[in-house]
Protein backbone atom coordinates (compact mmCIF):
# COMPACT_ATOMS: atom_id res chain seq x y z
CA UNK A 1 0.00 0.00 0.00
CA UNK A 2 1.38 3.33 -1.11
CA UNK A 3 -0.04 5.20 1.86
CA UNK A 4 1.89 2.97 4.25
CA UNK A 5 5.16 3.63 2.48
CA UNK A 6 4.26 7.31 2.25
CA UNK A 7 3.57 7.51 5.98
CA UNK A 8 6.93 5.86 6.61
CA UNK A 9 8.51 8.90 4.99
CA UNK A 10 8.94 7.78 1.38
CA UNK A 11 8.34 11.03 -0.50
CA UNK A 12 8.38 9.40 -3.94
CA UNK A 13 5.67 6.92 -2.95
CA UNK A 14 3.73 9.75 -1.41
CA UNK A 15 3.86 11.83 -4.57
CA UNK A 16 2.82 8.81 -6.64
CA UNK A 17 -0.09 8.20 -4.29
CA UNK A 18 -1.34 11.80 -4.46
CA UNK A 19 -1.03 11.80 -8.25
CA UNK A 20 -3.05 8.62 -8.49
CA UNK A 21 -5.74 10.06 -6.21
CA UNK A 22 -6.18 13.31 -8.11
CA UNK A 23 -8.28 11.99 -11.04
CA UNK A 24 -10.77 10.16 -8.82
CA UNK A 25 -11.02 13.15 -6.50
CA UNK A 26 -11.59 15.35 -9.54
CA UNK A 27 -14.43 13.12 -10.70
CA UNK A 28 -15.94 13.16 -7.21
CA UNK A 29 -15.68 16.94 -6.95
CA UNK A 30 -17.30 17.42 -10.36
CA UNK A 31 -20.06 15.07 -9.40
CA UNK A 32 -20.61 16.84 -6.11
CA UNK A 33 -20.80 20.24 -7.76
CA UNK A 34 -23.07 18.98 -10.54
CA UNK A 35 -25.27 17.29 -7.94
CA UNK A 36 -25.80 20.69 -6.31
CA UNK A 37 -26.43 22.30 -9.70
CA UNK A 38 -23.22 24.30 -9.64
CA UNK A 39 -20.52 25.05 -12.14
CA UNK A 40 -18.06 22.19 -12.51
CA UNK A 41 -15.33 24.67 -13.33
CA UNK A 42 -14.72 25.07 -9.61
CA UNK A 43 -13.92 21.38 -9.27
CA UNK A 44 -10.15 21.82 -9.47
CA UNK A 45 -10.20 24.21 -6.50
CA UNK A 46 -12.06 21.59 -4.51
CA UNK A 47 -9.59 18.88 -5.58
CA UNK A 48 -6.71 21.00 -4.35
CA UNK A 49 -8.48 21.65 -1.09
CA UNK A 50 -9.06 17.92 -0.58
CA UNK A 51 -5.41 17.13 -1.35
CA UNK A 52 -4.30 19.75 1.17
CA UNK A 53 -6.60 18.21 3.79
CA UNK A 54 -5.37 14.70 3.01
CA UNK A 55 -1.82 15.94 3.47
CA UNK A 56 -2.36 17.99 6.64
CA UNK A 57 -4.60 15.39 8.29
CA UNK A 58 -2.81 12.23 7.24
CA UNK A 59 -1.89 11.54 10.86
CA UNK A 60 -5.57 10.69 11.45
CA UNK A 61 -5.28 7.64 9.24
CA UNK A 62 -4.22 4.57 11.19
CA UNK A 63 -1.96 2.04 9.53
CA UNK A 64 -4.31 -0.78 10.43
CA UNK A 65 -7.43 0.95 9.10
CA UNK A 66 -8.69 0.68 5.52
CA UNK A 67 -7.63 3.63 3.40
CA UNK A 68 -10.62 4.39 1.23
CA UNK A 69 -13.28 5.10 3.91
CA UNK A 70 -10.83 7.56 5.41
CA UNK A 71 -10.12 9.22 2.07
CA UNK A 72 -13.78 9.50 1.11
CA UNK A 73 -14.77 10.88 4.49
CA UNK A 74 -12.24 13.67 3.96
CA UNK A 75 -13.31 14.24 0.36
CA UNK A 76 -16.96 14.32 1.31
CA UNK A 77 -16.31 16.73 4.18
CA UNK A 78 -14.40 19.08 1.88
CA UNK A 79 -16.89 18.91 -0.98
CA UNK A 80 -19.80 19.65 1.35
CA UNK A 81 -17.79 22.45 2.91
CA UNK A 82 -17.06 23.93 -0.52
CA UNK A 83 -20.74 23.75 -1.50
CA UNK A 84 -21.82 25.36 1.74
CA UNK A 85 -19.40 28.21 1.22
CA UNK A 86 -20.91 28.71 -2.20
CA UNK A 87 -24.28 29.01 -0.55
CA UNK A 88 -25.69 25.52 -0.76
CA UNK A 89 -26.52 23.14 1.98
CA UNK A 90 -26.45 19.60 0.73
CA UNK A 91 -26.25 16.10 1.94
CA UNK A 92 -24.21 13.98 -0.40
CA UNK A 93 -24.79 10.26 -0.50
CA UNK A 94 -21.53 8.37 -0.18
CA UNK A 95 -22.45 6.05 -3.08
CA UNK A 96 -21.84 8.92 -5.43
CA UNK A 97 -18.17 8.77 -4.61
CA UNK A 98 -17.86 5.05 -4.92
CA UNK A 99 -19.20 5.30 -8.48
CA UNK A 100 -16.99 8.17 -9.42
CA UNK A 101 -14.00 6.01 -8.58
CA UNK A 102 -14.35 4.31 -11.92
CA UNK A 103 -14.00 7.49 -13.89
CA UNK A 104 -10.78 8.99 -14.98
CA UNK A 105 -10.48 12.64 -15.72
CA UNK A 106 -7.71 14.93 -16.80
CA UNK A 107 -6.80 18.16 -15.12
CA UNK A 108 -8.28 21.18 -16.87
CA UNK A 109 -6.27 24.24 -17.77
CA UNK A 110 -7.14 27.02 -15.38
CA UNK A 111 -6.21 30.63 -15.78
CA UNK A 112 -7.32 31.90 -12.41
CA UNK A 113 -7.68 29.54 -9.50
CA UNK A 114 -8.40 29.90 -5.80
CA UNK A 115 -5.02 28.52 -4.88
CA UNK A 116 -3.20 31.28 -6.79
CA UNK A 117 -5.35 33.91 -5.12
CA UNK A 118 -4.67 32.42 -1.70
CA UNK A 119 -0.98 32.03 -2.48
CA UNK A 120 -0.72 35.75 -3.21
CA UNK A 121 -2.05 36.48 0.27
CA UNK A 122 0.62 34.46 2.10
CA UNK A 123 3.50 36.21 3.85
CA UNK A 124 6.34 36.65 1.29
CA UNK A 125 8.66 34.16 3.01
CA UNK A 126 6.14 31.32 2.83
CA UNK A 127 4.90 32.36 -0.60
CA UNK A 128 8.36 32.28 -2.18
CA UNK A 129 9.19 28.86 -0.77
CA UNK A 130 5.86 27.33 -1.77
CA UNK A 131 6.17 28.80 -5.27
CA UNK A 132 9.74 27.69 -5.87
CA UNK A 133 9.06 24.16 -4.64
CA UNK A 134 5.65 23.78 -6.29
CA UNK A 135 5.85 25.67 -9.58
CA UNK A 136 9.59 25.52 -10.29
CA UNK A 137 9.87 22.01 -8.91
CA UNK A 138 12.86 22.85 -6.72
CA UNK A 139 13.95 20.42 -4.01
CA UNK A 140 14.31 21.61 -0.44
CA UNK A 141 18.08 21.88 -0.98
CA UNK A 142 17.71 23.91 -4.18
CA UNK A 143 15.14 26.20 -2.59
CA UNK A 144 17.47 26.77 0.36
CA UNK A 145 20.28 27.69 -2.03
CA UNK A 146 18.20 30.01 -4.15
CA UNK A 147 16.61 31.84 -1.24
CA UNK A 148 19.76 31.86 0.91
CA UNK A 149 17.88 30.14 3.73
CA UNK A 150 18.76 27.10 5.82
CA UNK A 151 17.10 23.81 4.85
CA UNK A 152 15.28 23.78 8.19
CA UNK A 153 13.87 27.26 7.58
CA UNK A 154 12.71 26.20 4.10
CA UNK A 155 10.98 23.15 5.54
CA UNK A 156 9.22 25.22 8.21
CA UNK A 157 8.17 27.92 5.71
CA UNK A 158 6.87 25.27 3.30
CA UNK A 159 4.82 23.52 5.95
CA UNK A 160 3.45 26.76 7.41
CA UNK A 161 2.64 28.00 3.92
CA UNK A 162 0.69 24.85 3.06
CA UNK A 163 -1.18 24.95 6.37
CA UNK A 164 -1.99 28.63 5.77
CA UNK A 165 -3.28 27.81 2.27
CA UNK A 166 -5.68 25.27 3.78
CA UNK A 167 -6.98 27.92 6.19
CA UNK A 168 -7.41 30.43 3.36
CA UNK A 169 -9.42 27.89 1.37
CA UNK A 170 -11.65 27.31 4.38
CA UNK A 171 -12.15 30.99 5.17
CA UNK A 172 -12.75 32.07 1.59
CA UNK A 173 -16.16 33.57 0.79
CA UNK A 174 -17.34 32.63 4.27
CA UNK B 1 -0.40 26.75 -9.45
CA UNK B 2 -1.68 23.57 -10.99
CA UNK B 3 -2.74 20.51 -9.03
CA UNK B 4 0.45 18.73 -10.07
CA UNK B 5 2.46 21.61 -8.64
CA UNK B 6 0.56 21.46 -5.39
CA UNK B 7 1.24 17.72 -5.17
CA UNK B 8 4.94 18.39 -5.66
CA UNK B 9 4.87 20.85 -2.75
CA UNK B 10 2.90 18.42 -0.58
CA UNK B 11 5.37 15.59 -1.15
CA UNK B 12 8.29 17.93 -0.46
CA UNK B 13 6.61 18.43 2.92
CA UNK B 14 6.33 14.65 3.53
CA UNK B 15 9.08 14.78 6.16
CA UNK B 16 6.90 16.86 8.38
CA UNK B 17 4.87 14.39 10.34
CA UNK B 18 2.31 15.85 12.73
CA UNK B 19 1.39 14.06 15.95
CA UNK B 20 -1.57 11.69 15.83
CA UNK B 21 -4.60 12.76 17.88
CA UNK B 22 -3.81 10.02 20.38
CA UNK B 23 -0.26 11.22 20.96
CA UNK B 24 -1.40 14.84 21.00
CA UNK B 25 -4.00 14.01 23.65
CA UNK B 26 -1.45 12.20 25.79
CA UNK B 27 0.99 15.09 25.55
CA UNK B 28 -1.59 17.80 26.23
CA UNK B 29 -3.20 15.88 29.07
CA UNK B 30 -0.11 15.58 31.26
CA UNK B 31 0.16 19.30 32.13
CA UNK B 32 -3.65 19.63 32.20
CA UNK B 33 -4.01 16.88 34.81
CA UNK B 34 -1.21 18.51 36.80
CA UNK B 35 -3.13 21.80 36.80
CA UNK B 36 -6.36 20.06 37.80
CA UNK B 37 -4.59 18.21 40.61
CA UNK B 38 -2.98 21.42 41.87
CA UNK B 39 -6.40 23.09 41.95
CA UNK B 40 -7.85 20.04 43.64
CA UNK B 41 -5.32 20.02 46.44
CA UNK B 42 -5.38 23.79 46.81
CA UNK B 43 -9.15 24.13 47.06
CA UNK B 44 -10.69 20.75 47.89
CA UNK B 45 -8.35 18.05 49.16
CA UNK B 46 -8.92 14.33 49.66
CA UNK B 47 -11.88 13.24 51.74
CA UNK B 48 -10.75 11.97 55.18
CA UNK B 49 -10.38 8.19 55.45
CA UNK B 50 -11.09 7.74 51.73
CA UNK B 51 -9.28 4.40 51.45
CA UNK B 52 -10.89 2.95 54.57
CA UNK B 53 -14.32 4.04 53.37
CA UNK B 54 -13.85 2.24 50.04
CA UNK B 55 -14.14 -1.10 51.84
CA UNK B 56 -17.42 -0.32 53.58
CA UNK B 57 -19.26 2.05 51.24
CA UNK B 58 -20.47 0.54 47.96
CA UNK B 59 -22.02 3.89 46.94
CA UNK B 60 -18.59 5.50 47.05
CA UNK B 61 -17.06 2.67 45.02
CA UNK B 62 -19.82 2.97 42.44
CA UNK B 63 -19.43 6.75 42.21
CA UNK B 64 -15.69 6.49 41.60
CA UNK B 65 -15.97 3.57 39.20
CA UNK B 66 -18.64 5.36 37.16
CA UNK B 67 -16.66 8.57 36.72
CA UNK B 68 -13.52 6.64 35.74
CA UNK B 69 -15.53 4.53 33.30
CA UNK B 70 -17.03 7.66 31.76
CA UNK B 71 -13.59 9.26 31.40
CA UNK B 72 -12.07 6.17 29.79
CA UNK B 73 -14.93 5.62 27.35
CA UNK B 74 -15.27 9.26 26.34
CA UNK B 75 -11.52 9.40 25.69
CA UNK B 76 -11.95 6.49 23.27
CA UNK B 77 -14.92 8.21 21.69
CA UNK B 78 -13.15 11.49 20.98
CA UNK B 79 -10.17 9.68 19.47
CA UNK B 80 -12.62 7.95 17.12
CA UNK B 81 -14.47 11.18 16.37
CA UNK B 82 -11.13 12.73 15.42
CA UNK B 83 -10.59 10.18 12.63
CA UNK B 84 -12.54 10.58 9.39
CA UNK B 85 -14.46 7.50 8.38
CA UNK B 86 -13.88 5.75 11.71
CA UNK B 87 -16.75 3.80 13.23
CA UNK B 88 -18.00 5.67 16.29
CA UNK B 89 -21.21 3.73 16.85
CA UNK B 90 -19.72 0.90 18.91
CA UNK B 91 -17.96 3.27 21.31
CA UNK B 92 -21.03 5.50 21.55
CA UNK B 93 -23.14 2.48 22.49
CA UNK B 94 -20.57 1.45 25.07
CA UNK B 95 -20.61 4.99 26.41
CA UNK B 96 -24.37 4.75 26.95
CA UNK B 97 -23.47 2.16 29.57
CA UNK B 98 -22.53 4.95 32.00
CA UNK B 99 -25.97 6.63 32.23
CA UNK B 100 -27.63 3.20 32.11
CA UNK B 101 -25.61 2.08 35.14
CA UNK B 102 -26.48 5.30 36.92
CA UNK B 103 -30.21 4.81 36.31
CA UNK B 104 -29.90 1.25 37.60
CA UNK B 105 -28.15 2.56 40.72
CA UNK B 106 -30.93 5.11 41.19
CA UNK B 107 -33.46 2.28 41.09
CA UNK B 108 -31.56 0.28 43.68
CA UNK B 109 -31.25 3.39 45.83
CA UNK B 110 -34.99 4.07 45.60
CA UNK B 111 -35.65 0.51 46.80
CA UNK B 112 -33.18 0.57 49.70
CA UNK B 113 -33.69 4.11 50.97
CA UNK B 114 -37.07 5.12 52.47
CA UNK B 115 -38.99 7.63 50.35
CA UNK B 116 -38.87 10.25 53.11
CA UNK B 117 -35.07 10.30 52.80
CA UNK B 118 -35.00 10.78 49.02
CA UNK B 119 -35.03 14.55 49.07
CA UNK B 120 -32.20 14.75 51.57
CA UNK B 121 -30.08 12.32 49.51
CA UNK B 122 -30.75 14.24 46.34
CA UNK B 123 -29.91 17.68 47.70
CA UNK B 124 -27.01 16.43 49.82
CA UNK B 125 -24.68 18.94 51.46
CA UNK B 126 -22.46 19.97 48.57
CA UNK B 127 -24.64 20.67 45.54
CA UNK B 128 -23.21 24.13 44.95
CA UNK B 129 -19.65 23.02 45.60
CA UNK B 130 -20.16 20.15 43.15
CA UNK B 131 -21.57 22.40 40.43
CA UNK B 132 -18.68 24.83 40.80
CA UNK B 133 -15.82 22.38 41.38
CA UNK B 134 -16.34 19.92 38.54
CA UNK B 135 -16.24 22.57 35.77
CA UNK B 136 -13.26 24.23 37.50
CA UNK B 137 -11.32 20.96 37.65
CA UNK B 138 -12.43 20.18 34.08
CA UNK B 139 -11.22 23.46 32.58
CA UNK B 140 -7.58 22.49 31.91
CA UNK B 141 -8.44 18.98 30.64
CA UNK B 142 -11.03 20.56 28.31
CA UNK B 143 -8.44 22.89 26.82
CA UNK B 144 -6.06 19.93 26.43
CA UNK B 145 -8.67 17.72 24.75
CA UNK B 146 -9.75 20.48 22.35
CA UNK B 147 -6.13 21.26 21.41
CA UNK B 148 -5.47 17.56 20.82
CA UNK B 149 -8.57 17.29 18.63
CA UNK B 150 -7.22 20.08 16.47
CA UNK B 151 -4.65 17.51 15.33
CA UNK B 152 -7.56 15.38 14.26
CA UNK B 153 -10.12 15.85 11.52
CA UNK B 154 -13.53 15.53 13.18
CA UNK B 155 -16.34 15.31 10.64
CA UNK B 156 -18.67 16.92 13.20
CA UNK B 157 -16.75 19.63 15.07
CA UNK B 158 -19.53 20.46 17.58
CA UNK B 159 -20.02 16.79 18.41
CA UNK B 160 -16.29 16.27 18.86
CA UNK B 161 -16.23 19.37 21.08
CA UNK B 162 -19.08 17.97 23.16
CA UNK B 163 -17.14 14.71 23.46
CA UNK B 164 -14.12 16.65 24.65
CA UNK B 165 -16.34 18.38 27.23
CA UNK B 166 -17.79 15.05 28.33
CA UNK B 167 -14.29 13.66 28.77
CA UNK B 168 -13.04 16.73 30.66
CA UNK B 169 -16.20 16.78 32.80
CA UNK B 170 -15.67 13.11 33.65
CA UNK B 171 -12.05 13.77 34.64
CA UNK B 172 -13.19 16.67 36.83
CA UNK B 173 -15.95 14.51 38.30
CA UNK B 174 -13.55 11.64 39.03
CA UNK B 175 -11.31 14.02 40.96
CA UNK B 176 -14.21 15.67 42.75
CA UNK B 177 -15.64 12.28 43.68
CA UNK B 178 -12.61 11.62 45.88
CA UNK B 179 -13.41 14.77 47.85
CA UNK B 180 -17.19 14.99 48.15
CA UNK B 181 -18.91 13.02 50.97
CA UNK B 182 -22.26 12.89 49.14
CA UNK B 183 -22.30 9.36 47.72
CA UNK B 184 -25.97 8.75 46.91
CA UNK B 185 -26.62 7.93 43.23
CA UNK B 186 -29.43 10.50 43.47
CA UNK B 187 -26.88 13.20 44.23
CA UNK B 188 -24.51 11.94 41.53
CA UNK B 189 -27.26 11.85 38.91
CA UNK B 190 -28.49 15.36 39.61
CA UNK B 191 -25.37 17.39 40.34
CA UNK B 192 -22.56 15.48 38.67
CA UNK B 193 -24.86 15.06 35.68
CA UNK B 194 -25.61 18.77 35.53
CA UNK B 195 -21.97 19.78 35.96
CA UNK B 196 -20.73 17.37 33.28
CA UNK B 197 -23.50 18.42 30.91
CA UNK B 198 -22.43 22.03 31.36
CA UNK B 199 -18.81 21.22 30.49
CA UNK B 200 -19.98 19.21 27.46
CA UNK B 201 -22.09 22.16 26.29
CA UNK B 202 -19.11 24.50 26.59
CA UNK B 203 -17.03 21.97 24.65
CA UNK B 204 -19.66 21.81 21.90
CA UNK B 205 -19.83 25.59 21.58
CA UNK B 206 -16.05 26.03 21.43
CA UNK B 207 -15.55 22.93 19.30
CA UNK B 208 -18.01 24.11 16.67
CA UNK B 209 -15.60 26.95 15.88
CA UNK B 210 -12.21 25.67 16.97
CA UNK B 211 -12.37 22.18 15.46
CA UNK B 212 -13.30 23.11 11.90
CA UNK B 213 -10.75 22.06 9.32
Amino acid sequence: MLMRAAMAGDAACYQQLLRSLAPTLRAAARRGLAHAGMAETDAEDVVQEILLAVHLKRQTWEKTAPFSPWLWAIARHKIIDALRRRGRRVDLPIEDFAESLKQDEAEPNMLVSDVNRHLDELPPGQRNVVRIVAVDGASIDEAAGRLAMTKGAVRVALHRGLAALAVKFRMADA
Amino acid sequence: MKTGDLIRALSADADFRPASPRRALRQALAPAIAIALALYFAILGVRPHLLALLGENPRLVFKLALTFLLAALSARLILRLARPGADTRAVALLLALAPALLVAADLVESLTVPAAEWGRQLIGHNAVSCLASIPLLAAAPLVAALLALRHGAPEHPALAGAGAGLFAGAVGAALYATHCPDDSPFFVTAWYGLAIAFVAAVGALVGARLLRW
Side-chain angles (χ1 to χ4, degrees), chain B residues 137-188:
Chain B
L137 296 173
L142 177 60
V143 172
L146 287 170
L147 288 179
L149 283 179
R150 273 177 69 86
H151 285 255
E155 290 173 78
H156 308 287
L159 186 65
L166 187 65
F167 167 70
V171 170
L175 272 177
Y176 182 73
T178 62
H179 162 81
C180 178
D182 285 309
D183 296 326
S184 168
F186 290 164
F187 184 90
V188 174

Side-chain angles (χ1 to χ4, degrees), chain A residues 7 15 44 48 51 55 57-60 62 70 73 77-78 107 109 115-116 133-134 137 155 159 170, chain B residues 1-3 5-6 8 10-19 83-85 150-152 155 212-213:
Chain A
M7 291 297 281
Q15 184 159 8
E44 206 56 28
Q48 296 185 350
L51 287 170
H55 176 68
K57 295 297 183 185
R58 67 198 191 284
Q59 72 276 13
T60 64
E62 287 197 342
W70 176 82
H77 184 85
K78 281 296 165 192
E107 178 179 353
N109 261 319
V115 73
N116 286 327
V133 173
R155 283 208 170 86
H159 184 75
R170 200 173 75 222
Chain B
M1 183 155 68
K2 301 184 67 155
T3 301
D5 300 337
L6 178 69
R8 202 155 33 214
L10 296 180
S11 38
D13 189 41
D15 280 340
F16 192 96
R17 260 166 290 156
R83 278 168 39 208
R150 273 177 69 86
H151 285 255
E155 290 173 78
R212 289 183 54 210
W213 52 281

Side-chain angles (χ1 to χ4, degrees), chain B residues 23 37 44 87 102 110 116 120 150 166 176 183 192 207 213:
Chain B
R23 223 176 68 204
L37 277 173
L44 302 168
D87 177 34
L102 190 53
S110 69
R120 230 159 49 95
R150 273 177 69 86
L166 187 65
Y176 182 73
D183 296 326
Y192 281 55
W213 52 281

Side-chain angles (χ1 to χ4, degrees), chain A residues 104-126:
Chain A
D104 196 46
E105 314 212 9
E107 178 179 353
N109 261 319
M110 292 183 301
L111 293 174
V112 186
S113 67
D114 285 353
V115 73
N116 286 327
R117 223 159 23 87
H118 299 324
L119 195 57
D120 287 338
E121 293 168 9
L122 292 187
Q126 295 174 7

Side-chain angles (χ1 to χ4, degrees), chain B residues 54-135:
Chain B
L54 278 175
E56 56 196 54
N57 187 343
R59 290 186 177 86
L60 172 62
V61 175
F62 174 77
K63 177 174 84 168
L64 287 174
L66 187 72
T67 52
F68 279 97
L69 178 76
L70 187 64
L73 290 179
S74 51
R76 282 187 68 135
L77 178 71
I78 56 175
L79 289 178
R80 286 282 170 94
L81 285 173
R83 278 168 39 208
D87 177 34
T88 51
R89 220 168 296 166
V91 190
L93 271 179
L94 215 57
L95 192 65
L97 201 64
L101 283 172
L102 190 53
V103 169
D106 285 331
L107 277 176
V108 174
E109 183 83 336
S110 69
L111 294 174
T112 51
V113 173
E117 287 282 304
W118 289 2
R120 230 159 49 95
Q121 298 284 349
L122 172 67
I123 304 303
H125 306 282
N126 298 286
V128 176
S129 152
C130 174
L131 280 182
S133 302
I134 290 179

Side-chain angles (χ1 to χ4, degrees), chain A residues 123-173:
Chain A
Q126 295 174 7
R127 187 175 59 217
N128 291 338
V129 170
V130 172
R131 245 198 209 124
I132 285 179
V133 173
V135 183
D136 303 352
S139 67
I140 299 277
D141 289 4
E142 290 161 4
R146 277 168 62 179
L147 295 168
M149 290 166 75
T150 65
K151 280 194 273 177
V154 169
R155 283 208 170 86
V156 169
L158 176 64
H159 184 75
R160 293 218 175 120
L162 292 171
L165 276 182
V167 172
K168 296 229 179 277
F169 264 112
R170 200 173 75 222
M171 297 303 181
D173 328 306

